[in-house]
Amino acid sequence: MDFNIVEIAGLLLFLVGIFGLIASRNIIKSIVSLSIVDIGIITFFLGIRYEAGLLAPIGEDVARAEMADPVVQALMITAIVIGVAVSAVTLTMFSGLYHRYGSTHWDTVLRIRGEEQRK
Amino acid sequence: MQLYLLVILPICASLLLYLLPSRITTMLSGFVFFAVLCFSLRLFWCTRFLGEIITTQSSESFLGITLYCDLSASVFLVLVSFLFLCMFLFTNIRERTDKLYSFLFTVLEGLVLLIFLSRDFFNIYVAIEVSSIVCAILIMFEKEARSIYDGLVYLLVNIVGMLFFLLGIGMLYRQLGVLDFDSVIALIATRTPRELAFTYALLLTGVLLKCAAFPMYFWLPLAHGTPGSPTSVSAILSGIYVKSGVYLFIRVVAIFAPVIDLSAFLFWVGVMSALAGIVMAICQSDIKLILAYHTISQIGLIIAGLSSSSAYVQAGAMLHIINHAFFKSLLFLAAGMMIHSYKTRNIYKIHGVMRTMPLCGVAIIAGVLGITGAPFFNGSISKYFLAQSDTLVPSVMFMLINFGTTVSFVKFSKVLFGKKEDAEHHRDFWEIFVVLTLSALCLLTGLLGEPLLYLVTGLHLQIGVSGYVQKILIWFINFVLAYVLYRHVLSKSTRLKAGIDFTICFNNTIICICCSFMALYAFILLSIA
C-alpha cells in the first residue's frame, strides 16, 4: 500500500487524536481529540485517488478526467455533519455533568459516581 | 418504495409528534408503531413465502443509496417493530406524552430499521452513528448525574469504535472503489488476504465493539444498566439495539470469509465474552446491572455460535438472537416494575415478588426459565442446537456458559420468594398486558421451536425424543448443581453481597479498543501467513 501525502496526513491526524483520547484525562480534551480523529479520517478520505491538479467536481464545464472523485466528497459532507452533531451533543452532556459533579477530570468524575452508586 | 416508507414513516411521524398537542399524538404514535409492524410482517411474508427479494435498486449502477430486504433482514424487521410496539404500550402515560421522549423513541425505530435495511457500508455507518446519538440522549433522559456520565461514556466509546469502522470503509473504498455489499463481494476475491488484512482489522474492531465483545464491553453495562433511563429504553437497548451489532457482524464476516477465515479466533472471542459476562454478572448486586452483564454473555454465546462451522449451531445462534430479544426485554421490563414498586435496585433487598406482585412474578419465572434453557421454554431449543458440536471443546464451553447462566439466575430468582413486603404497587393494565404477552411468547417459541426455526431460516431440523430427554436431564442437573453452588458457596460471601464495581476509566476503555485492534490485526496476519 503506497499512500499519497494527503492520506498520510490523515492517518497521522488519526493517530494524534487516538493518542489524545488515551493520554488526556480532561473530558473537554477527550472531546476535542475525538474531533481530531474525525478530521483525520475526513482528510484520509479526501486523499483517496487524489492527484495534484485535479478540479473540484462542481459545475458542468469540468471534464470527467480531470475531476476529483465525487463519491468521497459526497460521503464526507455527511461525515462532517455527523461529526459536528457528535461534538455538540457530547459538549452539552459534558456541561450537564459539570454542573452536577463539578470536575473535568475523568478519574474524579468516576470516583464521585462510584460513591453515589454505593449509597 | 415500501422500504423507504418503512424508514421515513417513523421519522416523519416523530416530527409530527413533536409539533402536535399530546392529546392527539398518543393515538398517532400507537398507529405508527402498529403500521410499521404490519408493513414488516408483509415484507416477511413476501420474502419467506413468495421468495422475493425487495430492493429499491433500479439499475445496475453500484452507487447510490439502496435499501434491500432479504429473509434474514425481514426477520429482524419484524422483531424490531414488534418489540417497539410492545415498549410503546409499556411506557406509562407520563412518558408517552413527553414530547422529547416520544420524538426520540420513534426516530430510533426508523434508524434501527434503516440499519437492517441498508446494503452499503457508509449507509450503515450513518445509521449507527445517528442512532447512537439518539440512544445516548435517551439514556440520560431523566438527567440524573450518573446517567449523564453513562450516556457520555457510551456515546464517546461508540463513536470511537465507529470511527475505526469509518477508516476501514475508507481503506475498502481505496482498494475496491465500491461500497455496497454485492459489488464488494464480487470484487473482494480479486484481492490477496495481505492487502485486505488492515481493512478487515479496522472494520472488525468497530463491529466487535458494537457487539460488546470481550475486551471492549465496558460501555454496555453503563448504557443498559444505568439507573436513570426509562425501563423501556433499557429493554430496547438490550433486546434489540445490541442486535444491530450482531447483524453487522454476520454481514461483515460473511463478506470477508472467502478471503480471510477467522472463525476459530472469533469463536474464542465469543466464548471469552460469554464467560467474562457471567463472572461479572454473579458479582453484581444491582438488578439492572445483572441483566446488563448477562446481555454481554448471551451476545458472546451468539457470536461463538455464528462462528461455528456446523449449520446446526449457526441455526441455533440465529434462533437465539430472536429468543434473547424476547426474554431479555421481558426481564428488563419486569425488573423495571420491581424497581418502581420496591424503590430499590439492590437484589438483596427485594423479597416476595410472587406474593406482592404475582403477575410480575410469573413474567420473571418465564424469563428466567427461558434464559436458563428450561424444557418447553424458548432458550432450551436454541441452546440445544448451540451445544450440537462435533468436537468436544465447543460442547464443553457451551455447557460451562449455560451452567454460569443458571447460577446467576438462581441468585436472580431469589427475589421471587420470601415474606410479603408492603411495596406500593400500581397496577397498570398495559404493563401487565405487555409482560404477559412476552412471557407467553417465551413459552410459545419454545413449544413451537422447530416450526419457528423452519419459518425464519428455511432449515428443517429435528430434535427427536432422545434430544428432549437429554435436554431435560442437562437442565435439571445444571439447576441442582447451580443451586448447591449458590446456596453453599456464593451466598456466604459478604464481598459479593456488597457488589463489585467493574467500571474502568474512559482512557482505559480507549486503550482496550486500541489493544483489541492490534490483537485483531496480529491474528489476521498470523492466520494468513
Side-chain angles (χ1 to χ4, degrees), chain A residues 24-87:
Chain A
S24 163
R25 304 268 153 180
N26 186 311
I27 299 180
I28 295 185
K29 284 184 185 167
S30 292
I31 295 171
V32 172
S33 307
L34 196 69
S35 305
I36 293 175
V37 176
D38 201 37
I39 287 166
I41 291 175
I42 290 167
T43 316
F44 174 80
F45 261 87
L46 294 180
I48 295 173
R49 295 201 182 91
Y50 174 79
E51 288 164 22
L54 288 178
L55 299 175
I58 304 171
E60 289 173 357
D61 50 339
V62 182
R64 226 187 146 85
E66 55 193 33
M67 197 160 61
D69 190 349
V71 177
V72 285
Q73 312 221 349
L75 298 184
M76 281 312 104
I77 289 177
T78 320
I80 291 168
V81 172
I82 294 175
V84 171
V86 168
S87 304

Side-chain angles (χ1 to χ4, degrees), chain A residues 2 7 18 21-22 24 34 38 41 45 48-49 69 71-72 75 82 93 100 106-107 109-110 113 116, chain B residues 122 129 140 143 145-146 148-152 155 160 163 166 170 173-174 179 505-507 511 514:
Chain A
D2 43 341
E7 287 168 320
I18 293 288
L21 283 170
I22 291 174
S24 163
L34 196 69
D38 201 37
I41 291 175
F45 261 87
I48 295 173
R49 295 201 182 91
D69 190 349
V71 177
V72 285
L75 298 184
I82 294 175
M93 287 168 111
R100 285 165 180 78
W106 280 115
D107 292 338
V109 169
L110 186 65
R113 182 187 180 278
E116 219 174 69
Chain B
F122 193 75
E129 196 92 326
M140 53 160 273
K143 296 201 183 70
R146 265 185 292 171
I148 295 180
Y149 174 83
D150 295 345
L152 184 62
L155 187 59
V160 172
L163 286 176
L166 184 61
Y173 185 75
R174 191 175 180 276
L179 284 179
C505 179
F506 173 75
N507 306 83
I511 293 176
C514 295

